[in-house]
Amino acid sequence: MVSIRSEFLHAKFTSWRAELVEFGDHSGREFLWDGNADIWKGTSPILFPIVGRVPNDSVMIGGRPYGLRQHGFAPSSEFALMAAEEGSCIFRLEASAATRELYPFNFCLDVAYGLNRNTLTMTAKVTNRSADVMPYSFGFHPGFRWPLPDAGERLEHFIEFEEEESCALRRLSAGLLDPKPYPSPVAGRRIELCDELFSDEAMMFFDLESRRLRYGSGKGSYLEIEWRNLPHLGIWTKPLAGYVCIEPWQGFPTPLGFDGELSEKPGILLLQPGEHRDFEMSITVMGRDPT
């Protein structure tokens, strides 16, 4: 375990998955899901080199099939701790013989966390050390308590975007992306949260106008969430569970019927040899004075 702290907040991480496992303030309020394995054992996995599922857990790379399970191998990998200070830490996952059996590229994935007053910032850097162009996707997957502490009842909670969002809701079919759009639950800028929204699993929104949202109830504590270089958003829970995941993505599950090369998969980025790309998500605790 690695712990960091700021004037108002504390956070704890494991090198397994480079995962945020605790996030709260010094008054005892905890904002992150507790990882109850009877419901959902995750808390905030890192998604790489794919987001979502691929058909039969297999992708084609250079005409050869490779096995990649949902969200790739980062959520089941041990990261190396590269640095740890009072208010920050950095984890790294590098290509190995084991990863090349699943994904034949020489990559480096750095995941950095930092606390500054009432904000936690998560930054990921993907570097292509290969001689070939590297196809990949990336996503954050934090699960927040629903309801938040001191924020009223579940049905009082909402997600409010910074901009009005007119994009359609997308859904899964047998774990893959359903090609048809669904009516959006966004009214103006707001989604009123209820368990019925998740009866068909995740809600997905592609190419959002917003890069910021607010999650809470309008009373007590709430969270302001921002992201960068991540144009899509997944929102997911299990009905009646005590969490909701707010997941900025670059990439998304494979559309039904797609069977081409990973490099041609919708939502995939192509990283040139020697280049890197950064992704960022921040979570700011608002509302009642965090002291």
Side-chain angles (χ1 to χ4, degrees), residues 182-197:
Y182 288 76
S184 174
V186 181
R189 297 187 295 128
R190 182 175 290 192
I191 300 174
E192 302 289 347
L193 291 175
C194 63
D195 289 291
E196 289 73 18
L197 289 174

Side-chain angles (χ1 to χ4, degrees), residues 192-261:
E192 302 289 347
L193 291 175
C194 63
D195 289 291
E196 289 73 18
L197 289 174
F198 303 98
S199 59
D200 291 325
E201 297 197 24
M203 298 189 292
M204 297 174 289
F205 302 90
F206 299 161
D207 298 312
L208 287 167
E209 298 293 332
S210 301
R211 293 296 182 267
R212 178 187 301 180
L213 61 78
R214 173 181 175 183
Y215 164 58
S217 68
K219 61 177 69 171
S221 56
Y222 65 94
L223 304 179
E224 286 193 351
I225 298 171
E226 298 185 54
W227 56 93
R228 181 173 58 85
N229 287 341
L230 298 152
H232 317 306
L233 189 73
I235 305 174
W236 171 75
T237 188
K238 295 180 179 180
L240 303 179
Y243 68 88
V244 60
C245 293
I246 299 174
E247 311 173 36
W249 297 338
Q250 207 308 313
F252 43 80
T254 303
L256 284 168
F258 177 83
D259 62 358
E261 287 272 328

Side-chain angles (χ1 to χ4, degrees), residues 77-193:
S77 292
E78 181 75 18
F79 285 63
L81 177 64
M82 305 303 293
E85 300 179 0
E86 181 181 23
S88 63
C89 58
I90 303 173
F91 298 92
R92 174 173 290 177
L93 179 65
E94 297 179 280
S96 65
T99 66
R100 289 188 182 94
E101 290 294 317
L102 306 172
Y103 180 71
F105 297 98
N106 186 9
F107 69 89
C108 179
L109 170 61
D110 287 318
V111 181
Y113 297 95
L115 284 175
N116 182 19
R117 293 181 58 82
N118 59 331
T119 298
L120 171 67
T121 300
M122 309 187 291
T123 305
K125 180 170 75 171
V126 178
T127 301
N128 181 8
R129 294 173 170 173
S130 302
D132 301 314
V133 175
M134 187 175 84
Y136 75 102
S137 290
F138 178 85
F140 293 108
H141 194 324
F144 302 105
R145 298 197 181 213
W146 180 22
L148 290 170
D150 304 330
E153 302 297 322
R154 283 169 61 85
L155 291 180
E156 297 179 277
H157 281 58
F158 56 82
I159 289 172
E160 186 172 82
F161 295 102
E162 67 172 335
E163 307 287 348
E164 291 194 7
E165 297 293 348
S166 59
C167 60
L169 170 66
R170 305 301 298 270
R171 292 285 196 183
L172 297 175
S173 177
L176 302 179
L177 180 64
D178 191 324
K180 65 178 179 291
Y182 288 76
S184 174
V186 181
R189 297 187 295 128
R190 182 175 290 192
I191 300 174
E192 302 289 347
L193 291 175

